[in-house]
Amino acid sequence: MSRMELIAPCHFGLEAVLKREILDLGYEILEVEDGRVTFLGDAEAVCRANVFLRTAERILLKVGSFRAVTFEELFEKTRALPWEAYIPKNGKFWVAKASSVKSRLFSPSDIQSIMKKAMVRRLQEKYHLEWFPEDGAQYPLRVFLMKDQVTVGIDTSGMSLHKRGYREISGKAPITETLAAALILLTPWKRDRILVDPFCGSGTFPIEAAMMAAHIAPGMNRSFTAENWTELIPKKLWYDAVNEAGDLIDDQIETDIQGYDVDEDVIRIARRNAREAGVEHLIHFQRRDVRDLHHPKKYGFLITNPPYGERLEDKKDLPELYRAFGEAYRRLDSWSAYMITSYEDAEKYFGRKADKNRKIYNGMLKTYFYQFQGPKPPRRPKSPEQGLE
């Protein structure tokens, strides 16, 4: 199976960031839809996408797509797909998740049950078996129905790709690693610039930034479901992808990445997570209230996920918190600030209208990514050697 379609789901509103990542890996984009990007690749692409993509939630191997408006049609068209090309006789297969939007078939449990029966019928005919042991590698399916169009993919990742392996313990209301990475990639921040998260919680923003700065691939220290699909993907390709990632690491660099939080226990968790990610030496964590936020350098970045006040009793504290954050920001000369929050009065109490505002769904929660842009730093003069090139 040399060429295959791969589907990479992502957070709604961040498809362009994921598209750029996939193009940077060298793969052809086939389609960009709400919440997912489809691209063309081979068995090696499955491995490299899982290891290198920072903003994808998982990588699905597309089996097919078709229109279905009745359960009979769903059964027959699922049965017509070439399941034997993917699932061996002893493979364990099931529909792990089905989602339906604006479609006549809308019951996830019925969709899952009928599609499983159709797959069994197809494989019985192809393998001449009445019963399947299902004691081999796992092949979990994910199915999307959108306006009666059914898209079927086998999940190559297993656990969501936001689970990098470094964050076993989280503080309150953590932001996922994939979302944090995508938001950083939406800013002009580069590894030679200052980055401070004044509400760092378990450290996700600083850790993801440090991993980018050190060129540490997000998936190089975890496992994937498709590692056991040896009939489709040779083991060597996984080793090659991880070795490629290892060769790119450059963690002996100078950075100015800082994370602050008012809770000392949370700071301890953030330090532990950074240590697990291999970037503890690149980040300075400190217990500090947002009111004490200051920095002597210019042209830095604040990238943060301040409290939203999702619980009613916490909302009363938000005006003062955002007011203090805005005042601290105004004391920072030439800095830019980026914050994701669902708090609708964020700009009002921050004291400035955002230059840009992007709506992003954090799970089912509608949030806004407010972007307050400072001036660009002056261009550095070229060295004599650069002038001779």
Side-chain angles (χ1 to χ4, degrees), residues 329-349:
Y329 171 59
R330 285 187 286 279
R331 294 194 297 268
L332 292 167
D333 184 23
S334 308
W335 280 51
S336 299
Y338 299 83
M339 66 172 162
I340 181 170
T341 179
S342 66
Y343 183 44
E344 295 187 354
D345 287 331
E347 287 174 301
K348 173 184 173 182
Y349 291 107

Side-chain angles (χ1 to χ4, degrees), residues 57-76:
E57 292 301 309
R58 58 186 69 248
I59 304 299
L60 306 176
L61 170 53
K62 184 177 176 180
V63 178
S65 62
F66 52 83
R67 178 177 164 79
V69 297
T70 66
F71 284 120
E72 182 181 359
E73 199 173 13
L74 178 68
F75 181 92
E76 292 301 335

Side-chain angles (χ1 to χ4, degrees), residues 83-94 116 119-120 123-124 126-140 228-232:
W83 295 107
E84 67 280 0
Y86 306 96
I87 301 171
K89 290 180 181 180
N90 68 337
K92 178 178 174 60
F93 56 96
W94 73 103
K116 167 77 178 192
M119 293 169 69
V120 169
L123 293 174
Q124 282 175 334
K126 294 298 176 180
Y127 289 137
H128 307 291
L129 293 173
E130 284 300 312
W131 178 80
F132 294 94
E134 296 199 53
D135 56 1
Q138 298 187 349
Y139 297 82
N228 296 314
W229 298 0
T230 50
E231 77 289 347
L232 289 176

Side-chain angles (χ1 to χ4, degrees), residues 316-372:
K316 65 180 184 342
D317 300 326
L318 293 185
E320 179 54 35
L321 182 76
Y322 282 79
R323 188 180 291 114
F325 182 26
E327 289 171 358
Y329 171 59
R330 285 187 286 279
R331 294 194 297 268
L332 292 167
D333 184 23
S334 308
W335 280 51
S336 299
Y338 299 83
M339 66 172 162
I340 181 170
T341 179
S342 66
Y343 183 44
E344 295 187 354
D345 287 331
E347 287 174 301
K348 173 184 173 182
Y349 291 107
F350 190 76
R352 174 177 162 181
K353 186 169 176 57
D355 298 297
K356 289 184 179 179
N357 178 10
R358 195 181 191 109
K359 183 165 66 175
I360 294 166
Y361 279 89
N362 184 2
M364 298 302 293
L365 183 66
K366 183 171 69 174
T367 63
Y368 298 91
F369 189 48
Y370 295 103
Q371 304 169 56
F372 306 90

Side-chain angles (χ1 to χ4, degrees), residues 144-324:
F144 311 95
L145 279 77
M146 170 61 79
K147 296 180 180 177
D148 301 322
Q149 188 70 18
V150 183
T151 302
V152 187
I154 309 178
D155 182 9
T156 74
S157 304
M159 286 191 305
S160 172
L161 294 181
H162 80 263
K163 296 189 176 179
R164 318 287 205 215
Y166 67 74
R167 195 177 75 174
E168 291 182 21
I169 307 171
S170 297
K172 294 176 186 175
I175 191 166
T176 66
E177 294 86 334
T178 45
L179 180 54
L183 296 179
I184 294 169
L185 289 171
L186 277 175
T187 78
W189 178 81
K190 295 290 184 285
R191 68 180 188 172
D192 61 343
R193 305 282 294 277
I194 308 153
L195 187 153
V196 175
D197 181 353
F199 303 97
C200 74
S202 55
T204 310
F205 272 125
I207 292 169
E208 289 295 317
M211 289 176 70
M212 290 179 195
H215 302 307
I216 297 174
M220 64 180 298
N221 293 314
R222 54 159 286 171
S223 59
F224 307 97
T225 295
E227 287 180 60
N228 296 314
W229 298 0
T230 50
E231 77 289 347
L232 289 176
I233 305 171
K235 280 278 190 185
K236 181 181 182 297
L237 296 181
W238 291 103
Y239 294 129
D240 288 347
V242 172
N243 288 337
E244 179 189 354
D247 290 342
L248 292 173
I249 293 175
D250 177 19
D251 63 355
Q252 299 306 306
I253 53 173
E254 293 291 326
T255 59
D256 192 345
I257 300 173
Q258 302 180 31
Y260 305 141
D261 202 281
V262 73
D263 187 333
E264 184 65 53
D265 291 336
V266 165
I267 289 293
R268 276 195 290 272
I269 292 169
R271 288 195 184 107
R272 177 198 173 281
N273 291 341
R275 187 165 58 251
E276 289 293 318
V279 294
E280 185 183 27
H281 63 296
L282 300 176
I283 308 170
H284 172 68
F285 287 110
Q286 184 181 2
R287 181 187 177 279
R288 183 182 291 188
D289 192 288
V290 69
R291 294 166 183 80
D292 302 322
L293 176 61
H294 56 83
H295 201 290
K297 295 180 184 176
K298 299 175 69 169
Y299 305 111
F301 287 77
L302 298 173
I303 305 179
T304 193
N305 173 39
Y308 300 171
E310 286 309 302
R311 294 182 306 178
L312 195 61
E313 62 267 28
D314 295 335
K315 282 195 182 294
K316 65 180 184 342
D317 300 326
L318 293 185
E320 179 54 35
L321 182 76
Y322 282 79
R323 188 180 291 114

